[in-house]
Structure formats: C-alpha cells, structure tokens
Amino acid sequence: MDVSQYLIRIGYQGPAQPSLETLRRLHLCHLFSVPFGSLSIHCKEPITLELPLLYDKIVRRHRGGFCYELNGLFLWLLQTLGFEAKAVAGRVRNRFTGHYGPPLDHMVIWVQLDGRSFLCDVGFGEAFQEPLELIPNTEQVQEGGVFWLGMKEGVWILERREVPGKEGRPLYQFTLEEKKLDDFADMCIYHQTSPSSIFPCKSFCSLQKEDGTRLTYMGWRLISTSGEKRTETVLQSSEIPAVLREKFKIELEGNFEPKDEEILPPPEED
C-alpha cells in the first residue's frame, strides 16, 4: 500500500508530519473525496475487512464504503504517518428507527496529539467535518454544524445540535476501549445482511462537497442539501450509473440493483 497514492486519492497536498493542522486537513480531504455508502452490497460484492482489499477498493478503484472500510483505512494512513491513533467502537442511533445498534455497530478513531484527545470519523455521512476534541459537555461549532460530546458512566455520546445551547439529536455513543479491525468482522457481516441495518435495506452513497453542499444518492433519488435548502430528483434505474459516475466519480462493477426498503427495528429495544 502506497501512502502517496492514498494522499493523491483524497486530494491532499502539504506536510504529512503529525500535527493538528495536518490531521484537520486530512480529515476534510477524505470527507470531500471518498463517498460513504452501501453500493458494494447492492452489487453483490462481499466486504472483507483486510487492509490490502480496502486499499485496492478505495484508492485504486476509486470507490467508497461504510465505516469499517473508510475509518479502517484512514486509521492505517494516520498510523503510517506517525499519529498516535486507535480504533474504538460505537453504537449508532438509527435515524429511521430511533434505536441504537448492537455493540461494535460503528468504528471511529481516537487520536492523541500533544496531550489532547480527538475524535475522527470519515465513515459516518452526516457527522462532523473536522476532528472533535474529546472534552465532555462542550459544544464545538464548525462549518458542518454544532456538535456536543457528553459522557455518562464511561460512555461518550455525540449529539448534533441545530441551535447552540439546546438539546439536539444523538448520532452515536462510544467508549475509548481500543479495538482491532478484526473485532468488527461479525458486525461487518451484520451490516451486509441485517434488515435492521440501513446498508442492505437502502442502496445509497453520500458525499460532502467543499461548498457546503451534501450530495446523496438513495434508491431512485438524488438529493442535494445545503443549509435549509433541499432538492430531490427522481431517477430512472437506467440513469443511476451515470449519476454515480458524474456526481460521485464512481464506476460500478457487476450487476447493481437499486433498493430503498423500510429498515426494521432490532428485535429487542435498548
């Protein structure tokens, strides 16, 4: 795996020595270049959590992926550049069902830098654009919104707020217990097969643009959001490959089947 090719893939130019500014710019470049989504599942491409396979898919084949893929490979990049970075596990609050997922539902990255701790996540879709400092009960305002981190009984909670000072929508919870990529293997299968996971239920990909617009393809729709402005275009199945190619720079392989089905709540509530 070639670091220089990875940096070209995400459009990063500049110093690569560990610093907060390097971390911030790497995070932004990744979000602006690599889509988050489920397209492999709907092309019947099995997802296996092996770094060379993830590198080939994301860097060489110019594809996107979900959290284990994107954060797994980004973690490798950070560690290779000399950052003190570790994988940790979270549980996402599903915005369709309102339920939290099972343990190891989500992979995020914990970075320790110059005596401070930061949360990085390039594999969520609607989360923060720049690393968040791990300080409890503090709002952090950035271009992508207002984010609040709280802690209860050793569990961190990430919340997105529409209005500063007012309770918002929980995105996910996580702990700082270090995990390895292999620890997420069973949940990687779950997210390819479970009717309670968004990934097999909906074919989608989403990309944050530098101008503040978020482009999302889902099922038979192309959605553009910018602040409070939202536009939606209905697509024919025959139009989807061209939309993915032109809007997301993704050239699909295999037989792609669009899908947009209801997500079922998990069998037991939290």
Side-chain angles (χ1 to χ4, degrees):
M1 300 192 295
D2 186 337
V3 167
S4 63
Q5 291 302 309
Y6 195 159
L7 297 181
I8 291 171
R9 166 70 176 96
I10 64 174
Y12 178 83
Q13 295 179 324
Q17 292 76 24
S19 70
L20 181 55
E21 178 61 16
T22 299
L23 182 65
R24 186 189 73 84
R25 291 184 56 210
L26 286 169
H27 201 274
L28 283 170
C29 285
H30 209 290
L31 288 175
F32 294 155
S33 304
V34 185
F36 168 74
S38 66
L39 300 181
S40 288
I41 297 168
H42 303 280
C43 291
K44 295 182 171 57
E45 299 172 355
I47 298 169
T48 303
L49 298 183
E50 297 180 12
L51 284 173
L53 297 178
L54 302 184
Y55 179 90
D56 180 70
K57 176 182 176 181
I58 294 167
V59 177
R60 292 199 179 102
R61 293 162 51 205
H62 214 275
R63 295 283 295 277
F66 57 19
C67 69
Y68 309 130
E69 301 175 278
L70 304 187
N71 282 327
L73 196 61
F74 190 55
L75 175 63
W76 171 82
L77 176 67
L78 294 180
Q79 291 174 336
T80 302
L81 293 177
F83 285 93
E84 186 179 347
K86 302 175 182 178
V88 299
R91 300 175 64 201
V92 175
R93 186 178 185 273
N94 191 301
R95 67 186 180 92
F96 294 96
T97 67
H99 295 277
Y100 279 98
L104 298 167
D105 180 52
H106 184 49
M107 175 183 174
V108 289
I109 300 171
W110 173 28
V111 176
Q112 294 174 286
L113 185 64
D114 298 331
R116 301 160 69 187
S117 291
F118 296 90
L119 186 71
C120 293
D121 192 346
V122 297
F124 189 70
E126 61 170 344
F128 46 93
Q129 292 187 19
E130 301 185 24
L132 293 176
E133 188 164 4
L134 284 172
I135 304 176
N137 303 317
T138 302
E139 290 184 340
Q140 299 182 51
V141 182
Q142 51 182 250
E143 188 68 27
V146 180
F147 298 90
W148 176 87
L149 283 163
M151 181 187 284
K152 184 177 181 181
E153 298 178 354
V155 177
W156 288 85
I157 300 169
L158 173 63
E159 185 177 285
R160 183 182 190 128
R161 296 183 166 180
E162 299 299 328
V163 179
K166 292 190 178 182
E167 186 174 339
R169 179 166 62 90
L171 299 180
Y172 54 78
Q173 55 182 236
F174 61 98
T175 68
L176 297 182
E177 179 184 354
E178 184 178 5
K179 300 294 181 182
K180 303 299 183 185
L181 191 58
D182 288 347
D183 294 331
F184 298 95
D186 288 344
M187 283 304 297
C188 182
I189 295 172
Y190 168 91
H191 279 306
Q192 295 177 72
T193 58
S194 173
S196 295
S197 171
I198 185 176
F199 302 103
C201 294
K202 298 180 184 292
S203 58
F204 75 96
C205 70
S206 185
L207 184 65
Q208 180 67 50
K209 309 295 285 186
E210 292 188 55
D211 65 1
T213 302
R214 173 168 289 280
L215 281 180
T216 302
Y217 152 74
M218 181 173 289
W220 288 268
R221 294 173 292 155
L222 179 64
I223 304 161
S224 175
T225 56
S226 180
E228 297 182 358
K229 183 180 178 181
R230 184 181 190 276
T231 60
E232 184 172 313
T233 303
V234 177
L235 303 171
Q236 300 298 317
S237 294
S238 60
E239 297 176 297
I240 295 173
V243 166
L244 295 175
R245 184 168 55 251
E246 294 166 8
K247 301 294 186 181
F248 301 92
K249 297 182 172 61
I250 289 177
E251 194 76 50
L252 291 180
E253 304 160 14
N255 184 25
F256 176 69
E257 297 180 4
K259 193 174 183 181
D260 191 358
E261 294 185 354
E262 182 179 357
I263 303 169
L264 300 180
E268 296 181 5
E269 297 188 9
D270 299 320

